Amino acid sequence: MNHTVGPILSDKDFFDTLDTAMLPEICECARNEDFITARKLFSDHVRNSVDPQKYFSIDKKIPKPKLSAALKETAERALRHELRSCGVTMKFGEKIDWFANPTFNQYKEWTWQLSRHSELKALAEAYRATGEERYAQGCVELFDSWVKQAIRPEPEERAGATLCWRTIECGNRMGLIWQDILHSLIHSPAFTDDIIIDWYKSVYEHAIRLRTHYTKGNWLIHEINGLAQIGILYPEFKDAREWTDFSVSKLDEELDLQVYPDSFQYELTTCYHTVVIRHYLAVIAVASKYGYPIPKRIIKRLENMVELFVKLRMADGRIPDINDGLNDLAVNQVRAYADFFPENLTFKWLLSGGK
């Protein structure tokens, strides 16, 4: 079947994905094909159950960010439909074309990474910082534009075969971007019933793609972070627990498959090593806040991976910029993650300047 407007899920199929025990009245309406009532009841349920205060109390989250000059510039640029990817800005007109590519050599990463939605996240942050509805409205407008154009690919289409649904972007949207947006805008008038329904439909479509089209290496950790967060933060879906259980099992398994005994991630780049740590700890932080138990062995292995920055430290205090590397001070990397491991004496030593 050809689809011209997303999300693909019909109302009937969407309500079939929900947990009947959690949402009996909503599911009963859907079984009776009273989708108008079901949509309204579901939207009310979401507004009552999504808890921004709880979510933004997760470690490293910022409930009310400052409207810095950089954040304001990004948000205002997004309102003008000037979107940036891979360091190149494109000025769109009234309508965003999510399949565009303004680069002189048609660099594919520009289009792929445009769908990481960094501008949407900036608009959500600007809204939290100021409460100005124009930022919420601009974010919703961009989401609505994307979700209608970016039709979820058919199941047989491989991870990188599409412009808007490459699996690394799916993982980033679900693990690093969209959850902040949802919890920022859920009580804004801009987040209408129709937007909520399309949001949850698209999240389900992301879950199916991530559950069936995961890849390997650091990409896999992006993908699994996204799937885990869907499972934890969207318990309305009947498959939510299976997605979380699968994700945590996969994360546990991958520590043996892609981390060497010395704790260096097997791609041997300080940048991807950091990326992997970041995504693991994102899952751990959300799981911890929402009561999903993470095996202690996973946390210990992550602690060892952070310690690697201290062991790799060169005479100038930096970590080696090898392969697709990261030319940064070891202390900066340790500081970013040390709060997760408050008893680690090596981290305390480094952060204290050796005192």
Side-chain angles (χ1 to χ4, degrees), residues 265-298:
Q265 197 263 355
Y266 81 118
E267 290 169 272
L268 298 179
T269 130
T270 44
C271 179
Y272 294 164
H273 185 82
T274 297
V275 164
V276 167
I277 292 171
R278 180 186 184 193
H279 282 279
Y280 267 93
L281 291 180
V283 174
I284 291 169
V286 173
S288 176
K289 179 59 65 174
Y290 286 83
Y292 186 95
I294 298 292
K296 290 182 179 179
R297 62 182 174 273
I298 292 181

Side-chain angles (χ1 to χ4, degrees), residues 161-201:
T162 74
L163 294 177
C164 298
W165 282 83
R166 192 170 64 162
T167 50
I168 188 172
E169 274 73 49
C170 292
N172 272 289
R173 287 194 295 267
M174 294 298 104
L176 301 177
I177 305 293
W178 276 31
Q179 312 321 331
D180 281 13
I181 295 171
L182 173 68
H183 289 83
S184 298
L185 305 187
I186 187 58
H187 297 305
S188 165
F191 222 67
T192 63
D193 291 357
D194 288 342
I195 291 297
I196 288 175
I197 296 295
D198 278 354
W199 183 279
Y200 273 71
K201 283 182 177 181

Side-chain angles (χ1 to χ4, degrees), residues 22 27 39 46 77 88 117 135 154 169 176 185 217 256 286 299 303 305 311 322 336 352:
M22 178 184 288
C27 293
R39 288 169 68 95
V46 169
R77 177 169 50 77
V88 176
H117 291 171
Y135 290 127
E154 295 301 324
E169 274 73 49
L176 301 177
L185 305 187
D256 289 327
V286 173
I299 298 172
E303 183 175 4
M305 291 180 72
K311 297 173 182 177
I322 52 178
S352 71

Side-chain angles (χ1 to χ4, degrees), residues 65-221:
K66 294 180 179 180
L67 188 67
S68 65
L71 175 58
K72 183 175 182 179
E73 188 278 329
T74 301
E76 295 294 336
R77 177 169 50 77
L79 290 178
R80 298 192 301 268
H81 289 185
E82 299 174 11
L83 305 187
R84 183 173 299 161
S85 175
C86 301
V88 176
T89 301
M90 181 171 182
K91 295 183 179 180
F92 293 92
E94 183 177 343
K95 181 180 178 181
I96 305 294
D97 178 3
W98 292 95
F99 305 100
N101 191 331
T103 60
F104 75 94
N105 59 350
Q106 292 297 287
Y107 182 50
K108 291 183 178 180
E109 287 289 343
W110 194 93
T111 309
W112 280 328
Q113 293 192 31
L114 182 67
S115 280
R116 294 188 182 184
H117 291 171
S118 59
E119 278 96 354
L120 277 74
K121 185 174 182 178
L123 286 165
E125 288 181 4
Y127 178 63
R128 292 205 315 279
T130 66
E132 293 184 24
E133 286 296 330
R134 64 194 184 97
Y135 290 127
Q137 187 62 51
C139 184
V140 167
E141 179 190 336
L142 291 180
F143 163 75
D144 189 52
S145 168
W146 184 87
V147 82
K148 284 181 167 59
Q149 290 182 49
I151 309 299
R152 192 204 78 205
E154 295 301 324
E156 64 271 13
E157 292 192 64
R158 59 185 174 82
T162 74
L163 294 177
C164 298
W165 282 83
R166 192 170 64 162
T167 50
I168 188 172
E169 274 73 49
C170 292
N172 272 289
R173 287 194 295 267
M174 294 298 104
L176 301 177
I177 305 293
W178 276 31
Q179 312 321 331
D180 281 13
I181 295 171
L182 173 68
H183 289 83
S184 298
L185 305 187
I186 187 58
H187 297 305
S188 165
F191 222 67
T192 63
D193 291 357
D194 288 342
I195 291 297
I196 288 175
I197 296 295
D198 278 354
W199 183 279
Y200 273 71
K201 283 182 177 181
S202 189
V203 166
Y204 181 82
E205 292 178 349
H206 277 79
I208 296 304
R209 184 143 180 84
L210 291 169
R211 181 64 178 84
T212 57
H213 279 75
Y214 52 88
T215 55
K216 61 182 180 179
N218 77 86
W219 273 42
L220 172 61
I221 310 306

Side-chain angles (χ1 to χ4, degrees), residues 219-240:
W219 273 42
L220 172 61
I221 310 306
H222 290 76
E223 295 154 358
I224 295 300
N225 173 24
L227 183 62
Q229 293 207 36
I230 296 173
I232 294 168
L233 296 172
Y234 296 81
E236 293 83 2
F237 293 119
K238 64 179 69 172
D239 293 329

